[in-house]
Amino acid sequence: MTNAITTVQSLAANDDISMTDNGIAVFSLNAVAQMAGVSRAAISKAFKNVNQSPSKLAETLIQQGIKSVNLERYGLTGVPDTAVAHILFYYAAEAGRYCTVDARNWVKTYTSVGLRAYVHNALGYSSQTQSSTIVHQCPIEREIKAIDEHKIAVQQEIDVHKRTITRLEDEYDDLNIRQAGLYIQKYEPIAKRIQECEDVIANGIGKNSKKHLS
C-alpha cells in the first residue's frame, strides 16, 4: 500500500473525502472501495435493497448498530468514518475469501488512534479549523477534548478486538462440530459391527437353547 497519509490527502483533493462541520470524515463509495481493495460495485451493493435482500456486508453493518435507512442514505450522500471503519475491518478479517491485504493494512495503520483522528491528522484538520479559536480555549477544555478523542480511539480498538474474539469463537465452535462429525464417521461402522456380532451371538444362544429343550 502506498503511503496512507498521501492516499488520504489525494482522496480529499479529489473530493472523495470531505469533512462535516462537526469533524466527521465522509468518504465517497470510490474512496471506500479503493481503501478496502474491492470494486465499487461490491461497496455499492451494501447500500442497496437493504430491507429486502441485504448483502453480508450490510448485515455486518446493521449488527454494528447502523440503521438500514442510514445505509441507503450513505449510498447517495457518502459513508461516514465510523461506518468506513467497520467496512475496512469486515474486508480485513470477516469477509472470508474476499478479505484483502489493503483493508488489513488500513486497519493496522489507524487502529491505534481511530480512523477519524487519523484522517484529521492527515488533512491537518485540527490546526486548520481550530487555529482561530484555540487562543480562547481553556487548557482544561483542550485536555478534555483530547481525552474524549482518545476514548473514542480506544473504544474503536476494543471493538476491533471484540469482533476478532467473536470470529475466533465461531471458528472454534465450527471445528468442534466438524470434529464430532468425524468421530461419528470413524466409530459408527465399528459400533454397527459390534451390534451385528452381538445379534449373531444372541441368535446362536437362542438356537442352542431350543436344541437343549427339545
Side-chain angles (χ1 to χ4, degrees):
M1 185 176 73
T2 57
N3 182 278
I5 292 179
T6 302
T7 299
V8 170
Q9 293 171 342
S10 176
L11 289 170
N14 293 325
D15 294 327
D16 284 312
I17 297 179
S18 59
M19 305 295 295
T20 66
D21 292 339
N22 56 351
I24 297 173
V26 179
F27 297 70
S28 71
L29 298 187
N30 288 333
V32 179
Q34 179 179 329
M35 293 170 70
V38 298
S39 67
R40 186 184 189 281
I43 298 299
S44 178
K45 184 178 179 181
F47 306 112
K48 296 178 179 178
N49 301 319
V50 177
N51 293 318
Q52 290 76 28
S53 55
S55 65
K56 291 290 185 183
L57 174 55
E59 290 177 350
T60 298
L61 294 173
I62 291 171
Q63 289 171 3
Q64 295 304 315
I66 300 175
K67 295 180 179 179
S68 57
V69 65
N70 288 336
L71 288 180
E72 293 177 346
R73 189 177 74 251
Y74 296 163
L76 301 173
T77 62
V79 189
D81 45 30
T82 50
V84 174
H86 291 309
I87 292 171
L88 292 176
F89 184 83
Y90 173 80
Y91 281 110
E94 298 180 338
R97 63 191 179 95
Y98 298 110
C99 287
T100 67
V101 174
D102 285 342
R104 290 194 188 101
N105 287 338
W106 274 108
V107 171
K108 290 177 183 177
T109 297
Y110 70 75
T111 190
S112 62
V113 297
L115 180 58
R116 181 177 301 174
Y118 188 85
V119 172
H120 282 189
N121 179 64
L123 300 180
Y125 175 80
S126 295
S127 60
Q128 290 176 0
T129 60
Q130 298 177 19
S131 58
S132 61
T133 60
I134 195 167
V135 174
H136 307 288
Q137 195 174 43
C138 172
I140 294 177
E141 290 176 343
R142 292 200 299 272
E143 187 173 351
I144 290 173
K145 181 177 176 59
I147 291 173
D148 286 340
E149 291 178 348
H150 185 62
K151 282 170 62 179
I152 292 172
V154 170
Q155 185 59 54
Q156 288 181 343
E157 187 171 2
I158 290 172
D159 290 342
V160 167
H161 291 307
K162 282 183 177 179
R163 289 165 65 181
T164 301
I165 290 171
T166 299
R167 176 177 59 82
L168 292 174
E169 288 176 342
D170 290 342
E171 290 180 2
Y172 182 80
D173 291 340
D174 289 341
L175 288 173
N176 279 339
I177 293 171
R178 288 172 57 191
Q179 188 178 43
L182 290 173
Y183 275 124
I184 292 173
Q185 292 179 24
K186 179 178 180 180
Y187 292 109
E188 188 175 30
I190 298 174
K192 185 177 180 181
R193 182 58 180 161
I194 291 173
Q195 185 61 50
E196 290 174 351
C197 292
E198 289 177 346
D199 291 343
V200 170
I201 293 171
N203 290 335
I205 292 173
K207 290 179 181 180
N208 288 335
S209 297
K210 288 181 180 179
K211 286 182 180 180
H212 288 301
L213 290 173
S214 62

